[in-house]
């Protein structure tokens, strides 16, 4: 099968998928967090600012805002264009990438991405104010699902489709490590407190990845830190876990040309996730492990760029 | 129930109206449309208009306007009332358009070879010498079928006599065809009932015809030649169209940096599996940006070595470089003679009367009548740099008089046409006549093809004659009605 895929277009569909995934995750995360805060007992020092930390965007936030209150954090996470990871920025970038790769994605993609971005931008106040936030964020997540559905059902399973998969799975794996890390951070911060918040925190960690029900069905056990961490890292059945994402990513790589180097890196990361057994203590060393995984995933992205996206690479 | 459009109140003035012949009387092709609109209440009409607007926004149909503050992406301005033309009249017009492009291609090919038309005294030699769009690099090259302009957008206008005239031929990178196709898609959503009664000829085969035209140009005679659409990128005003056409044809949309000319003088694109040979490039960038080795050295839009590859016949360029030599408003004045010279036929569609400022006698007339004429630079498009005499100030008249005297070859003048009108929705639910033109698209390779109708552009401002989208014009769906 000869199939043409421009390097530039491959890069754009890859990023489109990453940004769509990021927008969806951010929307869900803000929603879950709002929910979590309502359940926190008094005296637990859990602030909205942790959301900023999860995404490593503290610097950009502090340049812009002094007050680390709900309104500023939610604004920063959803709407801020100085935050390269905000939901609106992600949708905008997804839109720009879709716009420049219209010829390889299903015809309706552009229309729906465009519509979703318009909806998100025009109604952003509904996301920032508490009253209608839930419904607004739900609409965003729904829009993202609609686009994923289009990719799954109305697109040739060709290279473009594989690059969409690469973008989506890498973003998911990365997001799972960040959310686990955030959960661990909250528990660490609350260690001195007498109230047991573990159940609430880990339950919401699962919900941030839409994984609460899948966890219960597969684990059939209580929501504890170790069980949740093991599930989100090493479960092979749920699509937003690190291992599932890496498996899918590996399948996509196998169908792409010149993929031996990225496959090697992906295998190293996967073996590490499978071999890991430090789930009993989710303290500082666990957080360090999450951080290392993030760095390895970043190096995998760099390898994609060198292998397929760089325009200089041509004379072979 | 509230009453719909009252056609008795629709004032057609002294212009030719496309839909209404005399107060309340529809032309044959528009009868169903007029009756249907009369049955819709003002609210219903307004609803339909809003549906169209929402559709356009959702579909992201946009074009870019260049302003001092940067580029603005505007939604495509669309009027929901279609423009109707009878199929019998269109057939004649289509024949005239084919005749014209055929002659123009013979003309271009002649200019880059023996120049018989000059030797035979039909075209004055100095006109070619001073042409900005003649490319010496193209001399001696023979593209497939001797055809240079494969895709042509010809602007037609109707004068008060109801006859079509050619206003200009766009032979370089004519745009607008995607809007023609999208206008139909919108109208089908907005006024679906009408498609049940009348036979409105479909327009949707254009992209298949374009694909066939481009395929036939391939230097490699293989089953699936590699065709690409070359765009200057997302900031170009017609980027929407470039992407649309690539998608509709199922070919790659490339930018200059995606392409490379290798040592074998063939063109390749950079893909995830390495370099892939390219056979045909539908280029949507101007000649001067095509190849920095030959033309504009600073161009980052083009591909170094592209001209070399084309001259050797290793890649087809549509339109061929240098085709713009016939898309010059001075050459335009000679097109009727060009048709007679090459085809030994009388032109089917007449030109608009044109005064060449280059000719001392005609220049004298132009300078004395600036307030009555439309003055246009010979090599501009998009309505830039022109002056509509009756609507211009004394200062502008004086400015154009200076410009003409300084560079007479660069200007032509035409009488101010009484451009035809068609009912256009203004305000809520009321119709007023607005001026319009028509841009059909003509394809030529082995065979000739004309779009069914074309893109109707309409001046949305009352009394305005400027239809260009960059200057505040809008558009309408164009119906060729077969009864």
């Amino acid at each position: 099968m000869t199939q043409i895929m421009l390097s530039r277009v491959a890069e754009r569909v890859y990023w489109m998928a990453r940004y769509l995934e990021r927008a969806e995750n951010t929307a869900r995360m803000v929603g879950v967090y709002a929910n979590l805060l309502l359940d926190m007992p008094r005296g637990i020092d859990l602030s909205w600012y942790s959301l900023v930390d999860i995404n490593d965007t503290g610097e950009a936030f502090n340049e812009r805002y002094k007050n680390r209150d709900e309104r500023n954090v939610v604004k920063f996470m959803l709407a801020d264009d100085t935050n390269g990871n905000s939901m609106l920025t992600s949708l905008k970038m997804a839109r720009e990438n879709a716009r420049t790769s219209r010829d390889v994605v299903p015809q309706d993609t552009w229309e729906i991405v465009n519509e979703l971005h318009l909806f998100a931008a025009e109604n952003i106040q509904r996301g920032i104010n508490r009253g209608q936030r839930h419904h607004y964020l739900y609409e965003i997540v729904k829009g993202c699902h609609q686009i994923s559905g289009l990719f799954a059902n109305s697109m040739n399973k060709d290279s473009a489709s594989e690059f969409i998969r690469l973008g989506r799975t890498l973003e998911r794996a990365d997001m799972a490590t960040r959310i686990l890390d955030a959960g661990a951070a909250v528990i660490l911060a609350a260690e001195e407190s007498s109230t047991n918040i573990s159940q609430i925190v880990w339950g919401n960690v699962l919900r941030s990845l839409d994984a609460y029900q899948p966890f219960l069905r597969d684990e059939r056990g209580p929501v504890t830190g170790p069980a949740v961490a093991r599930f989100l890292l090493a479960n092979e059945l749920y699509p937003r876990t690190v291992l599932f994402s890496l498996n899918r990513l590996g399948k996509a790589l196998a169908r792409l040309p010149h993929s031996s180097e990225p496959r090697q890196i992906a295998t190293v990361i996967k073996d590490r996730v499978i071999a890991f057994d430090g789930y009993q203590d989710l303290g500082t060393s666990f957080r360090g492990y999450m951080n290392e995984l993030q760095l390895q995933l970043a190096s995998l992205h760099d390898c994609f760029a060198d292998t397929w996206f760089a325009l200089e690479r041509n004379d072979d | 129930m509230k009453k719909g459009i009252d056609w008795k109140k629709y004032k057609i003035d002294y212009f030719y109206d496309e839909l209404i012949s005399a107060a309340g009387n529809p032309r044959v092709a528009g009868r169903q449309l007029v009756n249907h609109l009369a049955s819709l209440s003002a609210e219903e009409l307004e609803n339909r208009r809003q549906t169209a607007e929402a559709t356009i926004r959702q579909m992201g149909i946009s074009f870019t306007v260049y302003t001092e503050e940067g580029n603005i992406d505007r939604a495509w301005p669309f009027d929901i009332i279609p423009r109707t033309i009878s199929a019998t009249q269109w057939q004649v017009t289509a024949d005239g358009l084919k005749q014209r492009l055929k002659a123009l291609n013979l003309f271009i090919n002649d200019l880059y070879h023996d120049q018989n038309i000059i030797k035979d005294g039909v075209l004055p030699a100095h006109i070619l010498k001073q042409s900005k769009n003649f490319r010496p690099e193209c001399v001696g090259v023979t593209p497939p079928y001797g055809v240079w302009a494969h895709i042509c957008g010809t602007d037609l206008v109707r004068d008060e006599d109801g006859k079509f005239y050619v206003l200009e031929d766009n032979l370089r990178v004519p745009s607008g065809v995607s809007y023609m196709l999208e206008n139909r898609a919108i109208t089908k959503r907005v006024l679906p009932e009408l498609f049940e009664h009348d036979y409105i000829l479909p327009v949707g085969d254009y992209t298949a015809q374009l694909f066939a035209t481009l395929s036939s140009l391939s230097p490699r005679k293989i089953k699936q030649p590699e065709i690409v659409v070359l765009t200057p990128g997302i900031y170009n005003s017609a980027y929407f169209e470039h992407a649309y056409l690539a998608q509709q044809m199922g070919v790659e949309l490339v930018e200059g940096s995606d392409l490379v000319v290798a040592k074998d003088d063939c063109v390749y694109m950079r893909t995830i599996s390495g370099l892939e040979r390219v056979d045909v490039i539908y280029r949507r960038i101007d000649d001067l940006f095509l190849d920095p080795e030959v033309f504009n050295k600073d161009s980052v839009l083009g591909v170094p070595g592209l001209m070399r590859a084309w001259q050797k016949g290793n890649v087809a360029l549509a339109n061929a470089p240098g085709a713009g030599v016939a898309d010059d408003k001075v050459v335009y004045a000679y097109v009727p003679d060009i048709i007679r010279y090459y085809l030994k036929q009388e032109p089917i569609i007449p030109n608009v009367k044109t005064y060449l400022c280059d000719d001392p006698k005609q220049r004298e007339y132009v300078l004395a009548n600036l307030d009555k004429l439309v003055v246009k630079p010979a090599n501009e498009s998009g309505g830039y740099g022109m002056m509509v005499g009756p609507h211009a100030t004394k200062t502008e008249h004086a400015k154009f008089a200076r410009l003409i005297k300084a560079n007479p070859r660069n200007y032509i003048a035409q009488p101010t046409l009484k451009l035809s009108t068609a009912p256009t929705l203004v305000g809520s639910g009321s119709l007023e006549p607005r001026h319009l033109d028509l841009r059909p698209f003509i394809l030529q390779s082995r065979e000739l093809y004309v779009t069914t109708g074309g893109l109707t552009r309409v001046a949305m401002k009352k009394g305005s004659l400027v239809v260009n989208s960059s200057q505040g014009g809008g558009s309408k769906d164009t119906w060729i009605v077969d009864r």
Side-chain angles (χ1 to χ4, degrees):
Chain A
M1 183 174 58
T2 53
Q3 207 178 64
I4 300 279
M5 174 109 224
L6 289 175
S7 298
R8 179 178 50 77
V9 175
E11 183 171 13
R12 286 179 187 171
V13 293
Y14 167 85
W15 275 113
M16 173 182 64
R18 281 200 80 157
Y19 278 118
L20 279 171
E21 190 63 29
R22 197 172 291 177
E24 180 186 335
N25 282 323
T26 308
R28 192 182 301 109
M29 212 157 46
V30 169
V32 169
Y33 214 77
N35 219 351
L36 168 69
L37 284 185
L38 297 178
D39 286 344
M40 277 289 130
R42 269 193 205 122
I44 300 286
D45 183 24
L46 175 62
S47 77
W48 275 94
Y49 188 72
S50 313
L51 273 180
V52 177
D53 268 342
I54 295 179
N55 289 290
D56 285 336
T57 43
E59 206 172 308
F61 182 91
N62 294 319
E63 257 174 40
R64 186 86 198 267
Y65 304 100
K66 258 198 186 138
N67 209 341
R68 297 176 172 188
D69 61 6
E70 173 182 349
R71 193 179 167 78
N72 283 348
V73 171
V74 172
K75 215 164 119 187
F76 182 75
M77 293 295 295
L78 295 183
D80 209 313
D81 50 16
T82 58
N83 173 9
N85 292 324
S86 79
M87 184 197 75
L88 217 49
T89 310
S90 299
L91 285 176
K92 191 177 146 201
M93 296 305 290
R95 176 183 185 268
E96 286 310 299
N97 282 292
R99 174 168 149 129
T100 45
S101 48
R102 284 177 60 154
D103 43 337
V104 299
V105 294
Q107 209 173 342
D108 289 340
T109 311
W110 161 249
E111 205 171 312
I112 298 174
V113 172
N114 191 42
E115 204 180 340
L116 182 62
H117 174 254
L118 272 176
F119 169 82
E122 280 172 4
N123 296 287
I124 189 70
Q125 278 310 323
R126 291 172 47 192
I128 294 169
N129 301 333
R130 270 185 181 165
Q132 292 171 296
R133 188 183 294 151
H134 175 79
H135 185 68
Y136 171 80
L137 293 174
Y138 179 66
E139 289 295 321
I140 301 289
V141 170
K142 218 162 76 175
C144 293
H145 284 173
Q146 196 182 3
I147 297 159
S148 307
L150 210 52
F151 293 153
N153 304 316
S154 304
M155 189 170 174
N156 289 341
K157 297 297 165 200
D158 57 6
S159 304
S161 173
E162 302 306 342
F163 278 101
I164 286 176
R165 237 205 235 178
L166 286 189
R168 183 195 298 140
T169 50
L170 191 68
E171 186 70 23
R172 279 186 183 170
D174 181 68
M175 189 52 77
T177 63
R178 286 177 195 279
I179 288 180
L180 271 175
D181 185 31
V186 172
I187 300 288
L188 276 177
E191 241 168 15
E192 292 86 49
S193 151
S194 55
T195 333
N196 184 5
I197 57 161
S198 166
Q199 170 92 21
I200 298 168
V201 169
W202 292 114
N204 280 294
V205 162
L206 286 171
R207 286 190 189 91
S208 298
L209 294 168
D210 225 359
Y212 194 72
Q213 194 190 352
F215 171 88
L216 293 180
R217 285 191 61 82
D218 195 44
E219 289 283 317
R220 304 203 171 267
V223 178
T224 63
V228 168
R230 184 190 295 279
F231 182 84
L232 291 181
L233 280 170
N235 181 281
E236 283 189 277
L237 298 180
Y238 182 61
R240 293 179 192 280
T241 71
V242 176
L243 187 57
F244 187 99
S245 301
L246 288 172
N247 280 335
R248 273 295 152 93
L249 186 134
K251 281 186 192 154
L253 288 176
R255 292 173 51 108
L256 288 170
H258 307 295
S259 63
S260 61
E261 211 178 318
R263 278 155 85 178
Q264 271 172 25
I265 300 180
T267 308
V268 168
I269 306 176
K270 195 174 132 181
D271 290 347
R272 197 168 172 205
V273 169
I274 294 170
F276 182 75
D277 64 353
Y279 294 112
Q280 285 315 311
D281 176 12
L282 301 179
T284 319
S285 77
F286 180 77
R287 295 196 65 193
Y289 171 55
M290 289 300 101
N291 200 32
E292 281 163 35
L293 274 183
Q294 282 161 27
L295 292 175
Q296 280 185 307
L297 292 170
S299 75
L300 186 54
H301 165 80
D302 292 341
C303 183
F304 293 168
D306 290 342
T307 307
W308 294 297
F309 305 155
L311 284 173
E312 289 73 30
R313 185 190 152 277
N314 51 54
D315 300 300
D316 49 358
Chain B
M1 206 181 104
K2 278 197 182 169
K3 261 195 76 183
I5 298 291
D6 182 359
W7 288 103
K8 297 236 155 48
K9 286 188 184 147
Y10 178 79
K11 290 217 168 54
I12 52 172
D13 297 336
Y14 49 89
F15 301 104
Y16 178 92
D17 192 88
E18 301 280 334
L19 193 61
I20 302 292
S21 58
N25 277 342
R27 296 186 190 280
V28 178
R31 204 167 283 160
Q32 288 283 356
L33 176 65
V34 163
N35 291 341
H36 183 67
L37 290 175
S39 75
L40 297 178
S41 67
E43 286 91 338
E44 185 56 33
L45 209 53
E46 175 60 16
N47 284 343
R48 306 285 176 107
R49 192 191 63 76
Q50 285 176 6
T51 308
E53 210 168 78
T55 307
I56 288 165
R57 267 161 56 90
Q58 275 173 26
M59 289 163 90
I61 309 174
S62 63
F63 69 102
T64 313
V65 183
Y66 308 105
T67 67
E68 282 172 11
E69 293 85 43
N71 298 333
I72 307 167
D73 228 8
R74 284 209 194 136
W76 179 242
F78 175 74
D79 180 67
I80 62 168
I81 313 294
R83 176 234 197 121
T84 49
I85 300 171
S86 82
T88 35
Q89 185 181 30
W90 183 250
Q91 197 46 56
V92 179
T93 312
D95 289 343
L97 291 165
K98 287 182 187 169
Q99 175 197 49
R100 200 170 167 100
L101 184 58
K102 202 169 160 189
L104 284 169
N105 271 312
L106 289 166
F107 170 67
I108 302 168
N109 204 43
D110 185 20
L111 288 186
Y112 289 114
H113 290 90
D114 302 334
Q115 305 193 340
N116 288 324
I117 193 165
I118 296 174
K119 288 176 192 154
D120 290 340
V122 177
L123 183 84
H126 73 273
I127 289 198
L128 183 62
K129 277 206 190 93
Q130 292 163 9
S131 167
K132 271 200 226 165
N133 293 317
F134 181 78
R135 309 259 171 264
E137 298 82 358
C138 298
V139 170
V141 177
T142 307
Y145 315 109
V147 171
W148 294 68
H150 312 94
I151 300 120
C152 167
T154 294
D155 290 345
L156 298 177
V157 292
R158 258 203 246 247
D159 203 356
E160 55 193 329
D161 57 7
K163 262 166 61 181
F164 277 120
Y165 293 81
V166 174
L167 189 61
E168 61 183 54
D169 306 285
N170 296 283
L171 302 172
R172 285 171 280 182
V173 284
S175 64
V177 77
S178 62
Y179 300 115
M180 172 190 91
L181 297 167
E182 293 284 41
N183 284 352
R184 176 60 55 85
I186 302 165
T187 307
K188 280 182 176 168
R189 288 198 200 181
V190 175
L191 296 168
E193 310 90 324
L194 281 163
F195 290 83
E196 285 168 21
H197 305 297
D198 272 327
Y199 186 53
I200 300 157
L201 298 183
V203 295
D205 66 334
Y206 177 78
T207 45
Q209 295 284 349
L210 177 63
F211 184 78
T213 301
L214 295 171
S215 299
S216 73
L217 304 176
S218 171
R220 285 192 299 175
K221 296 302 163 202
I222 50 175
K223 202 163 158 243
Q224 286 186 309
E226 199 57 55
I227 300 170
V228 299
V229 176
L230 174 61
T231 174
I234 193 151
Y235 297 110
N236 183 271
S237 59
Y239 180 80
F240 170 84
E241 173 157 309
H242 307 159
Y244 179 92
L245 291 175
Q247 191 182 34
Q248 294 292 318
M249 290 193 287
V251 305
E252 301 303 323
L253 176 68
V254 304
E255 296 174 13
S257 59
D258 293 324
L259 299 181
V260 60
V261 177
K263 289 200 182 76
D264 60 0
D265 287 337
C266 292
V267 181
Y268 296 86
M269 57 181 157
R270 304 178 209 267
T271 79
I272 55 166
S273 338
L275 296 180
E276 290 288 339
R277 171 94 186 256
V278 172
D279 298 292
V280 183
I281 303 177
Y282 178 21
R283 51 97 175 199
R284 296 293 298 256
I285 63 181
D286 282 333
D287 280 2
L288 296 180
F289 297 96
L290 272 180
D291 182 351
E293 283 181 9
V294 178
F295 303 118
N296 193 339
K297 304 271 178 292
D298 305 322
S299 169
V300 290
L301 302 175
V303 186
L306 188 55
M307 280 299 285
R308 204 174 349 115
W310 175 74
Q311 284 157 344
K312 293 203 168 164
N314 292 337
V315 70
L317 291 173
N319 289 347
V325 67
D327 165 346
D328 169 311
K329 291 187 177 67
V330 177
V331 171
Y332 161 87
Y334 289 90
V335 174
D337 291 334
I338 288 171
I339 293 172
R340 289 183 198 106
Y341 178 75
Y342 291 105
L343 302 179
K344 317 278 178 269
Q345 293 170 359
E346 272 306 300
I348 299 172
I349 315 173
N351 261 13
V352 174
K353 170 82 191 146
T354 301
Y355 303 94
L356 300 175
C357 296
D358 195 36
D359 177 279
K361 258 198 177 153
Q362 298 183 40
R363 179 166 67 240
E364 203 175 303
Y365 176 83
V366 171
L367 291 171
N369 291 282
L370 281 173
D371 57 336
K372 297 188 190 73
L373 298 169
V374 178
V375 182
K376 296 176 181 176
N379 290 304
E380 289 289 334
S381 61
Y384 291 100
M386 61 182 263
M387 179 196 76
V388 182
H391 297 179
T393 61
K394 283 238 161 68
T395 328
E396 283 172 287
H397 291 159
K399 179 182 143 201
F400 270 80
R402 274 198 309 279
L403 287 170
I404 291 168
K405 282 178 202 157
N407 189 359
R409 162 67 177 81
N410 198 36
Y411 289 93
I412 59 132
Q414 293 168 335
T416 313
L417 294 169
K418 299 203 170 54
L419 242 52
S420 64
T421 61
T424 301
L425 203 52
V426 294
S428 57
S430 73
L431 297 178
E432 283 182 18
R434 290 289 182 269
H435 294 291
L436 37 73
D437 77 351
L438 179 64
R439 176 178 287 184
F441 296 84
I442 309 101
L443 303 177
Q444 183 178 359
S445 60
R446 224 177 347 225
E447 283 155 37
L448 282 146
Y449 165 87
V450 183
T451 49
T452 315
L455 174 67
T456 290
R457 299 184 299 175
V458 47
M460 301 295 252
K461 263 186 273 170
K462 191 170 190 160
S464 166
L465 297 172
V466 185
V467 296
N468 307 75
S469 53
S470 52
Q471 318 269 328
S475 80
K476 283 168 169 290
D477 190 16
T478 309
W479 289 0
I480 304 301
V481 183
D482 193 5
R483 297 188 54 93

